[in-house]
Amino acid sequence: MSQVFSEETHRNLLARIPHCTGREVSDWLRTVDEGPSLFRFEEKVSWLRGEHNLAYGHAKAIIHEYDLRRAARKLI
């Protein structure tokens, strides 16, 4: 079962990603966009973890942010 992060925890994780990974969140979002066409949230998280050696929390935060931004684009 996956954890559910609060909005504050999500924002804190996003803020730490550049320091912990050496890459900006926007770079990670582009990586996800250009990556394989996976449908399930956990598949995307697993791909990021395996392919890019990310911690679970960071990978989950990146995918969650990716999904939020993608949903926002569809509303416009």
Side-chain angles (χ1 to χ4, degrees):
M1 179 185 286
S2 65
Q3 299 172 337
V4 175
F5 296 143
S6 70
E7 183 64 27
E8 180 182 3
T9 301
H10 175 67
R11 293 288 155 216
N12 288 337
L13 279 167
L14 285 180
R16 292 185 43 80
I17 285 172
H19 173 72
C20 294
T21 67
R23 291 177 62 185
E24 294 297 322
V25 172
S26 59
D27 293 339
W28 285 113
L29 297 175
R30 193 170 23 264
T31 297
V32 173
D33 198 43
E34 294 170 354
S37 297
L38 302 170
F39 293 105
R40 295 180 56 232
F41 183 87
E42 288 297 330
E43 289 176 327
K44 295 175 194 175
V45 171
S46 294
W47 173 75
L48 266 184
R49 292 184 72 207
E51 193 71 24
H52 298 282
N53 199 29
L54 289 177
Y56 177 74
H58 292 146
K60 185 172 178 175
I62 290 166
I63 298 301
H64 182 63
E65 187 67 17
Y66 178 82
D67 287 348
L68 287 173
R69 291 184 186 195
R70 194 173 102 210
R73 283 193 308 255
K74 287 183 178 180
L75 293 176
I76 296 176

